[in-house]
Amino acid sequence: MARYYLTGFVGSELPDVLALADVVISRSGAGTIAELTALGKAAVFIPLASSAGNEQAHNARHLQDAGAAVALLGEVSPASLEAAVGPLLTDGGRRASVAERARAHGRPDAADRLVDAILSAAGQPSGR
């Protein structure tokens, strides 16, 4: 069985792919961060250098500082990627710890909380 599957694009099957993944290597935009922390996935983030206001580097650094991900900031090389991913693949305890910390940052109920906040601001009961 292959240890990894490399693909250029994942479409509607993304939720299934993420559910099956032990470790995710990805950019660190807000949507990606929200999905991976809600799922509690160990991740290595490679921020997009040209992101507005450098928000991707900020996102990745924040999770790395909390032990909830690994961030590759600055120049990325094959060696630095291997050094970041290797311990997560070979050490199940470390992978589980990172995943648990990521899950602690996740807000799977974010949409419901946002609706409640909007309804509250509008003076309407949430009905939940």
Side-chain angles (χ1 to χ4, degrees):
M1 182 168 165
R3 288 185 48 134
Y4 66 91
Y5 178 75
L6 179 64
T7 182
F9 179 78
V10 177
S12 62
E13 66 276 20
L14 182 60
D16 295 327
V17 171
L18 291 178
L20 292 170
D22 292 323
V23 177
V24 176
I25 302 169
S26 179
R27 297 292 188 189
S28 49
T32 300
I33 296 288
E35 292 289 337
L36 295 179
T37 57
L39 291 170
K41 292 294 175 175
V44 174
F45 292 119
I46 305 171
L48 182 63
S50 62
S51 66
N54 208 22
E55 59 98 7
Q56 288 201 12
H58 173 77
N59 294 344
R61 187 177 297 110
H62 173 74
L63 288 176
Q64 178 171 265
D65 289 349
V70 176
L72 292 179
L73 305 168
E75 290 296 317
V76 178
S77 68
S80 65
L81 179 59
E82 182 180 2
V85 176
L88 293 173
L89 294 176
T90 59
D91 184 343
R94 180 172 181 173
R95 183 174 57 247
S97 175
V98 170
E100 182 179 324
R101 289 181 180 142
R103 186 175 296 109
H105 280 75
R107 299 292 179 262
D109 63 341
D112 291 336
R113 292 171 62 181
L114 179 59
V115 168
D116 289 345
I118 292 169
L119 291 175
S120 176
Q124 301 293 318
S126 70
R128 286 180 241 229

